[in-house]
Amino acid sequence: MRIGLGLAALSAVCPSARAAYQGFNYGAFFTDNTPKMQADFEAEFKTAQNLVGAPGSGFTSARLYTMIQWGTPSTPISAIPAAIATNTTLLLGLWASAGDAGIASELAALSAAVTTYGKAFTDLVVGISVGSEDLYRSSPTGKAHSAGAGSYPAALVGYIERARDAIKSTGLAGVPVGHVDTWTEWVDPANQAVMDAVDWVGMDAYSYWQSLVPNGAERGRALFEDALARTRARVGGRPVWITETGFPVSGETSGEAVPSVENAKRFWDEVGCPLFGRENVWWYILRDAGRGRPVPSFGIVGEALGTTPVFDISCEAVEKEEESCDAA
Ligand SMILES: *[C@@H]1O[C@H](CO)[C@@H](O)[C@H](O)[C@H]1NC(C)=O
């Protein structure tokens, strides 16, 4: 299978050896809603760094959804000392769907983290996302799926400005500020104000959830590439970071997408492998089956958090494409 072709067409040139962040998303709590503590984050970050067969230099970056330790008002999340202890770079997230008070708490935790951890922390931060899928949740589709509280563009733009103000005379000055949302929101002209306010665009794209179009595993790559191309066409040259993508290893069928280890591996090989080392990618997800398994479950390691993933992540099938690209 000519795995690299579609992506090569999108990026137009063969990739150089430029640095790209490669990591996973990390929730603040386990499936049973208990908070992850520093030791839990450290165990996850170390597992990610030591995954058997990991492509490139491995998975050394962590995207977070909140600055706040789960269950506290505004204590900085313990993922931060865990990242410092394991030399894990951070794509920070401020939860932006809990109104003005919510964003104020996120910014308080951000400032407290800078004060408490200083340069050891700020040197690891590669970006700050103000929000995660807030526009999707407030969209008609999100509402129809009871996706929970969201935010609208005007509020998000205000939060982005507040985040920029909060970091401008700290060790985080110059860190690029963005927003993460589903690709369907980035291509919606109603959200242009958010696009105009960000330094980078975080795109979430899951063929699994696109149940209104043919979305069997064999369509995963085509649907992802379509989402990325349509997003890039809208963003006016801003970098697009792949903040979430993945395919469930178990769970219910969505349209024609059937969760299985085999299909998750196919998505990894056909979507992930061409991206790793070339684009900034935070895959969904290292482990979501902690203290209970969600439905669907996307974790590439099981509840036991071993370093051997449930499928071969080595990207060996794609290495050949890179060689032929280098030779061209
Ligand atoms: C941390 O990782 C970076 C690469 O991401 C590396 O350049 C640096 O030497 C590492 N620092 C330590 C203390 O291991």
Side-chain angles (χ1 to χ4, degrees), residues 24 46-55 58-59 268 286 300-301 306-309 313:
F24 292 102
K46 279 185 196 150
T47 300
Q49 290 175 345
N50 293 309
L51 284 176
V52 174
F59 292 86
W268 178 277
L286 176 72
I300 69 156
V301 301
T307 53
T308 302
I313 63 167

Side-chain angles (χ1 to χ4, degrees), residues 20-101:
Y21 299 110
Q22 185 169 303
F24 292 102
N25 288 272
Y26 293 88
F29 51 89
F30 290 105
T31 308
D32 68 358
N33 210 38
T34 54
K36 288 184 191 170
M37 309 307 279
Q38 183 179 340
D40 300 314
F41 283 113
E42 274 193 48
E44 293 190 347
F45 294 167
K46 279 185 196 150
T47 300
Q49 290 175 345
N50 293 309
L51 284 176
V52 174
S57 48
F59 292 86
T60 56
S61 194
R63 174 179 170 236
L64 307 178
Y65 294 87
T66 177
M67 287 306 303
I68 301 173
Q69 176 67 14
W70 195 246
T72 74
S74 60
T75 302
I77 190 166
S78 58
I80 292 168
I84 294 168
T86 57
N87 197 21
T88 296
T89 63
L90 290 167
L91 173 50
L92 300 177
L94 310 188
W95 190 254
S97 286
D100 277 2

Side-chain angles (χ1 to χ4, degrees), residues 171-195:
L172 295 173
V175 168
V177 176
H179 168 73
V180 169
D181 227 299
T182 59
W183 71 270
T184 48
E185 298 309 313
W186 288 120
V187 302
D188 184 343
N191 297 325
Q192 184 66 41
V194 178
M195 185 91 73

